Amino acid sequence: KMKKLIPLIVLSCLLPLAVNARTITVTGDTLDNAESKIRQQAPASATAYRIIEARMGNKVHITAKISD
């Protein structure tokens, strides 16, 4: 019984954190351009964002987690 209960407890603790975060992915010509797009797409209620993935080549690709 405990083996089934522990994952449920962990899931119930993590679910509220997932609900309050949103992920945005953008592409831009420069790092500044891509970050600007993240700020523009973030909802007005956003308090912060954290870049969780970035790639640079011919274009800049950034994924950020938005916190409310």
Side-chain angles (χ1 to χ4, degrees):
K1 239 180 180 177
M2 274 307 267
K3 288 183 180 180
K4 292 181 181 180
L5 185 59
I6 291 174
L8 289 175
I9 292 170
V10 170
L11 182 62
S12 67
C13 291
L14 294 177
L15 191 58
L17 298 175
V19 171
N20 289 335
R22 181 176 143 194
T23 303
I24 296 176
T25 301
V26 299
T27 302
D29 295 329
T30 65
L31 185 59
D32 287 338
N33 178 257
E35 268 196 278
S36 175
K37 288 181 181 182
I38 287 174
R39 288 190 296 272
Q40 290 171 0
Q41 291 184 21
S45 62
T47 57
Y49 68 90
R50 182 172 53 104
I51 296 174
I52 57 175
E53 182 265 334
R55 287 183 297 196
M56 296 173 78
N58 292 339
K59 298 279 185 177
V60 177
H61 172 90
I62 295 176
T63 301
K65 187 177 282 188
I66 307 299
S67 302
D68 289 335

